[in-house]
Amino acid sequence: MKTKKISKSFIMNIILIILLLTILVLPKTSMEAAKNGLLLWFNVIIPTLFPFILLSNLIINTNIINYINYIFTGIMTRLFNLPGVAGYALITGLLSGYPVGAKITADLLNKKAINTTQAQYMLTFCNNASPMFIIGFIATGLLDNSRIGIFMLITIYAANLITAFIYRAIYEKNLPTIKKSTFKSKVNKSMNFSLFDDCIMNAITLIVKIGGYIIFFSIILNCFYLIPTRDSIVKNFLFSLIELSNGAKILVNCNSSIQVTFVLLCTLVSFGSFSVHAQTASVLSDTKLNIGKYILSKIINAVITFITALLITPLII
């Protein structure tokens, strides 16, 4: 165990030293990478994620969550053998994007609305890219083709649903049977400015963390691109896995056919990138949820998405 810990620590130290040397030797290039990451965070991440994170904090910390549980219990029980609150994590995760689905799952676990097994299962399909990111940023912003965004959305979410059903079979024996809603009719009287302030600070802390990870991994991606290697689709795809938004730009600009670009983009978005996984690990840090199992589920999801995208490519013109 000590050898493993030492080796991991040694590798991390080497990576940090290389990053520092890169910044010192090539400050202009590194600053440009950091600037791009910062602008992405400021122009895209804050406007899209902050409102969802703040409202989710308020909902989970009031009895509104009981009503949501009541509404979603029927469909979530039948499809996934999960309580209704899981539906809130799924829908909010889909609408707001990475890593909000994981954040809500962790919050529900900490509030004891779900147990650890249910939370680990929810992570396999509740933490995804948002329609705004897929259609707005990638399809419209990068590809200038909103129609492709619709096909990407269908492909990614269909594969996500397939992944959820596969993992239901895996977790079925350990999931408690949901017989009825745990809806409570009492109205929460504790909604006040103190709670609102706490929720704002929680949302600000998370959004700043996300920005830090995006900037950090943007610099790492820049370092990899400084390595003199032969340009290829495989190289571009592997590099794109480092940071999601910049990775999408790389795949769009690699001069492949629209069909190949479509398949690779769908696969990348469903996997999420190492930057997204670091963000997810951060929001799960105060729980006992296994980040390794989560990443494995995203790899499986990416493989299913790749196959699904290949089947849909004949419709892409």
Side-chain angles (χ1 to χ4, degrees):
M1 288 296 291
K2 285 186 177 181
T3 305
K4 289 183 178 180
K5 287 182 178 179
I6 291 172
S7 62
K8 286 181 181 179
S9 177
F10 178 75
I11 291 172
M12 282 302 300
N13 289 338
I14 293 296
I15 292 174
L16 291 175
I17 290 171
I18 292 173
L19 286 174
L20 178 60
L21 290 175
T22 302
I23 293 172
L24 292 174
V25 175
L26 299 168
K28 187 175 181 181
T29 306
S30 300
M31 285 177 62
E32 189 66 27
K35 178 184 175 182
N36 291 336
L38 181 61
L39 289 174
L40 173 67
W41 174 70
F42 185 79
N43 293 324
V44 179
I45 303 301
I46 293 179
T48 56
L49 288 193
F50 185 79
F52 278 102
I53 296 171
L54 176 57
L55 289 173
S56 294
N57 286 339
L58 290 170
I59 288 172
I60 288 174
N61 284 283
T62 63
N63 277 344
I64 297 173
I65 195 66
N66 295 325
Y67 293 90
I68 293 173
N69 185 42
Y70 178 77
I71 293 169
F72 286 107
T73 291
I75 187 169
M76 294 306 293
T77 300
R78 289 184 178 87
L79 288 179
F80 309 113
N81 192 24
L82 289 170
V85 288
Y88 174 64
L90 174 60
I91 291 176
T92 310
L94 290 174
L95 290 176
S96 55
Y98 297 115
V100 175
K103 171 68 166 56
I104 295 173
T105 300
D107 288 343
L108 291 172
L109 177 61
N110 289 333
K111 291 289 180 182
K112 301 188 185 305
I114 54 176
N115 64 30
T116 304
T117 303
Q118 290 170 330
Q120 194 73 59
Y121 172 38
M122 286 166 60
L123 285 178
T124 66
F125 67 96
C126 287
N127 198 37
N128 303 283
S130 68
M132 186 177 293
F133 180 81
I134 296 170
I135 297 177
F137 179 74
I138 295 181
T140 304
L142 299 182
L143 293 172
D144 194 25
N145 189 334
S146 58
R147 179 175 174 271
I148 288 182
I150 301 298
F151 285 108
M152 287 184 66
L153 205 65
I154 293 171
T155 302
I156 293 167
Y157 287 176
N160 187 60
L161 192 61
I162 294 170
T163 304
F165 289 141
I166 291 173
Y167 269 92
R168 171 171 177 164
I170 294 173
Y171 282 101
E172 189 71 52
K173 292 182 180 179
N174 297 318
L175 290 173
T177 302
I178 310 297
K179 295 181 180 179
K180 61 179 180 179
S181 170
T182 55
F183 169 74
K184 298 175 182 178
S185 59
K186 293 182 180 179
V187 178
N188 190 357
K189 301 292 185 181
S190 62
M191 182 63 185
N192 50 47
F193 283 108
S194 177
L195 173 61
F196 192 70
D197 289 346
D198 290 342
C199 290
I200 288 176
M201 290 307 299
N202 184 282
I204 290 174
T205 300
L206 178 58
I207 210 74
V208 170
K209 280 184 180 180
I210 292 172
Y213 282 113
I214 290 174
I215 294 169
F216 181 72
F217 279 90
S218 294
I219 295 173
I220 290 179
L221 179 58
N222 175 69
C223 291
F224 272 90
Y225 250 98
L226 295 175
I227 301 173
T229 55
R230 185 179 178 182
D231 191 50
S232 67
I233 295 176
V234 174
K235 169 197 165 184
N236 288 324
F237 179 71
L238 291 176
F239 282 6
S240 74
L241 296 176
I242 296 173
E243 203 283 311
L244 182 57
S245 301
N246 289 307
K249 291 180 182 178
I250 290 172
L251 295 179
V252 169
N253 295 327
C254 67
N255 296 321
S256 300
S257 67
I258 190 62
Q259 288 83 2
V260 172
T261 302
F262 172 80
V263 173
L264 295 181
L265 281 171
C266 287
T267 305
L268 168 64
V269 172
S270 63
F271 176 70
S273 83
F274 293 110
S275 174
V276 168
H277 296 335
Q279 296 167 36
T280 301
S282 176
V283 301
L284 299 179
S285 60
D286 60 345
T287 71
K288 294 182 179 180
L289 296 174
N290 190 314
I291 188 64
K293 290 182 179 179
Y294 163 76
I295 294 175
L296 177 60
S297 73
K298 298 307 287 184
I299 293 173
I300 293 172
N301 187 25
V303 172
I304 295 171
T305 304
F306 178 81
I307 296 170
T308 307
L310 284 177
L311 297 176
I312 290 181
T313 46
L315 301 176
I316 307 298
I317 299 174

